[in-house]
Structures are given as structure tokens and as C-alpha cells.
Amino acid sequence: MTGNRGGLIGEEQVRAYQEDGIVCVRQAFSAEEVDFLRDVVTRDMAAPSRMGREATRDGSGRFFSDTFVWKHIPELEGFLRTSAAADLARALMKAEKTNLLFDQFLVKEPGTSTPTVWHHDMPYWPVNGDQVCTIWIALDPVTRDSGAVEYVKGSHRWGQRYKAEAFIDKDLYKEDLPPVPDIEAMRDTLSFAQYEMEPGDCTLHHGLTVHGAPGNKRSDRARRAYVIRWTGDDAYYYPRPNLQPMLEDPGIAPGGPLDCDLFPVMRG
Ligand SMILES: O=C(O)CCC(=O)C(=O)O
């Protein structure tokens, strides 16, 4: 299998990703890589890029996000190019080519009450295709009470896109799509995945898998994640009005491949 570094991905995980839209891969990243990412997130939180946002809603704590961090802290490019992250995404998507869409830190500091609303990712982004996925790398031990992300298994195959709901700017998204259904009211009829994780563990989810997360109730530990968005062969540029801001205009044609300096090819 292409890009299957160190045998981290087997047939069963590819099947699970394709069927469930979510898999967890244990210890895909070394202690040195985790230390590197922890150092970078500390620096980034102290001096975020212009894409940095506070996603904290009313309540306690701090829900921090920054995107396109690799353009702000250039050492990240080495990690993006040489770590297992791109290989895992490529193997699960069954892609030949793999582009980086963007990277992101998502941090819930201790005592952050803000949940992550139920949503799926693609309505936020100027991209379309089946081969779109996210890797979420744990930089701290993650438990339900520290804000482990929860995923609705199989929701990427519901054949429906839901309206993006803003984490930050409430009036941003205007696409004419139905809202995400009331997932809490459907708990008995749906199947969920939520993983307790150690630093260096990661999850990969499909761009249409519905997911959300509780706040971080712990007072002793942050929930820091390095999150990378990847696309494969069938993905194309699909700009629409009022989307999540990208760092800059990528200068590529709608309907065409993503390959450009902003969304570079990392494999293939
Ligand atoms: O980390 C979180 O709370 C949300 C993660 C998320 O929405 C994502 O990885 O797409």
C-alpha cells in the first residue's frame, strides 16, 4: 500500500475509515515530534498569526485556534513533509496525490466550558471531493472530561451537507443548507466513536463526518491538538462566498486541482 509508513495502516483501518469515516491510530508520532509540536504551540499561542482566533464563547477558559500555522512558523513545514501525517492521510483516503489544505492548532485550556458544536468540515472550506480528511494529533492525554472529540460513525455517507455553524463569527456562513440535525436527540439511534488518547496518538476523519466535542472540564491539563487538513486525487477547488477565511487567494481556477503554494502537493 502506498504511503503506509511503518505499517501503521492496515486493511482493517482503511475499511473502518471508508465505512465509519473515523479511525484512531496509536503512537503514530514520536515523543520528539510531540515535544516539537508542544514547543511550537506554546510559541504560537504567545504570538499567533493573523489567522489566530479565540473561539471561546460565553463562559470560562480559552478555546484557541490558529490556521495556516506552517506559514507563520516555518519549522512546521519539515514536520508536514517528513512525519507520518501525510502518509496516514494518503493511505486511508486511498490517494496517490496528497495536498496539504491547511494546518491548525486547536487548544482548550484547563476549565474551558466552550463545547465544539456538532458540525462537519467541508461546508466551511473551498474544496470538494471525497478524498478530504483531517488528522487530529493529541499533544496531551485526552479524555472525555478534557474534551475528546466525538464522531458520528458513518455520517460521511449520509449524502447530506449541513450548514456550517460559526465557532467565532456567528454571521459568517450563509450557504443554503439544512442545519446539522439534533445529534443529542438521536443518541439512541446513532453509533459514536470517542477515543481516550495519549500524546502521539491521532484520529483521522473524513471531511463529511459529523463531529463535536465537550469543553475541557479538567483544571490540571490543557487539551492541545495539532490538526492537519489533507486532500487527495479527486479534490478540487470549490470557492463560494462566506467561507472560513483562507490565508490568501490561492490563485487557482475553480473546479481545478488544488496544487499551488498555498495548498502544496506533499505526496505523489
Ligand atoms: O478539537 C476540537 O474541539 C474540534 C476538532 C474539529 O472540529 C476538527 O478537527 O475538525
Side-chain angles (χ1 to χ4, degrees), residues 63 106 108 116 119 121 134 136 149 205 211 213 223 227 229:
F63 184 10
L106 282 170
K108 293 194 180 187
T116 306
H119 68 284
D121 298 332
T134 286
W136 193 104
V149 183
H205 70 264
H211 57 287
R223 193 226 61 178
V227 179
R229 322 297 189 165

Side-chain angles (χ1 to χ4, degrees), residues 51-67:
M51 306 300 283
R53 301 283 187 273
E54 299 294 332
T56 318
R57 295 193 178 198
D58 301 341
S60 60
R62 182 183 186 200
F63 184 10
F64 170 85
S65 163
D66 199 1
T67 54

